[in-house]
Amino acid sequence: DPIRKPRLMRLLFVHAHPVPESFNAALCAAAVETARAQGHEVRLVDLHAERFNPIMATDERRGYTQGVPIPADLVPHVEALQWAEGLILVYPTWWYSQPAILKGWMDRVWRPGIAFTLHDEGQRLRAALTNIRLIGVNTSFGSPWWFWTFLIGAPGRKIILRGLRFCTNRRTRTFWLGLHEIDSQTEADCRRYIDRVRSRIAQIPL
């Protein structure tokens, strides 16, 4: 029998770190490079590089659920979400959750009519991004894993793997990679983590 080739996916990477020479940027570069080497179709959104505006303006909020045309700066982001089969977020965990620019991207782009639909009956939400069947996260932490997980309750993880996942395909699969206590990690530790990221990306589709 012929060797079965792995199924390729359309992967959208969203990166959120303001420093281009940061460890987080190296993580993103390694993940994107690995995905492209595997043959996946890749798009990269670098929120800081494109100076994405995370602030929802007054008029935008007033029309949020009214079906008015979305702001022009959001059009390429919405198009990318609707194009993607897999979404991979690369960011540092600050104050136990996503950086403000990424949270603002979620606030403004994952909106009614795009990420979910609202129904009058109890204002129930229904998923609209059923094209997305994979969500992954590559992140880093200043805190130890036990502190973030057991004392704080892992809020950043729940936002992505429960909240955003709810807006995607019912069969969406997820993965979460995190390097804790980043400030005390050696260069060898960081290289091992980047290798771990490469290995997980190479396994897509999971």
Side-chain angles (χ1 to χ4, degrees):
D1 295 336
I3 296 176
R4 180 179 297 177
K5 295 182 179 180
R7 206 183 77 78
L8 301 179
M9 298 184 74
R10 297 188 300 273
L11 300 177
L12 173 63
F13 288 80
V14 179
H15 179 227
H17 197 291
V19 182
E21 67 272 20
S22 65
F23 175 67
N24 200 261
L27 282 180
C28 185
V32 168
E33 177 185 296
T34 302
R36 286 178 171 150
Q38 293 293 112
H40 299 291
E41 190 175 351
V42 172
R43 292 188 187 181
L44 171 62
V45 172
D46 188 329
L47 295 176
H48 282 280
E50 72 170 61
R51 298 186 178 183
F52 178 80
N53 179 10
I55 299 173
M56 184 179 294
T58 301
D59 288 344
E60 182 181 347
R61 179 59 196 177
R62 283 173 176 156
Y64 187 72
T65 59
Q66 305 304 315
V68 299
I70 63 173
D73 64 317
L74 300 185
V75 171
H77 294 269
V78 168
E79 192 276 331
L81 267 185
Q82 293 176 333
W83 164 88
E85 294 175 297
L87 172 67
I88 300 173
L89 305 174
V90 187
Y91 62 88
T93 293
W94 291 342
W95 284 106
Y96 319 118
S97 187
Q98 292 74 33
I101 196 169
L102 181 55
K103 182 57 169 60
W105 178 80
M106 291 155 53
D107 290 343
R108 298 188 66 211
V109 180
W110 290 66
R111 56 197 298 124
I114 304 300
F116 59 90
T117 57
L118 284 170
H119 293 262
D120 293 336
E121 181 184 338
Q123 288 290 289
R124 291 173 54 193
L125 274 66
R126 293 184 183 175
L129 288 171
T130 54
N131 51 291
I132 294 178
R133 296 178 291 101
L134 170 69
I135 296 178
V137 171
N138 296 330
T139 189
S140 58
F141 305 79
S143 61
W145 72 270
W146 57 266
F147 182 86
W148 185 74
T149 302
F150 296 113
L151 293 186
I152 304 300
R157 179 171 181 151
K158 292 174 182 176
I159 288 170
I160 302 297
L161 301 192
R162 296 185 187 181
L164 293 193
R165 185 185 179 280
F166 179 82
C167 298
T168 66
N169 194 286
R170 186 176 301 177
R171 297 175 181 268
T172 291
R173 304 184 72 175
T174 65
F175 69 84
W176 179 278
L177 295 174
L179 181 63
H180 286 267
E181 299 182 85
I182 182 64
D183 297 322
S184 62
Q185 300 293 332
T186 66
E187 288 189 17
D189 293 330
C190 292
R191 284 195 298 270
R192 280 192 290 271
Y193 181 65
I194 288 178
D195 288 342
R196 184 183 170 201
V197 169
R198 288 184 181 277
S199 177
R200 180 56 65 90
I201 298 297
Q203 295 173 33
I204 294 174
L206 304 180

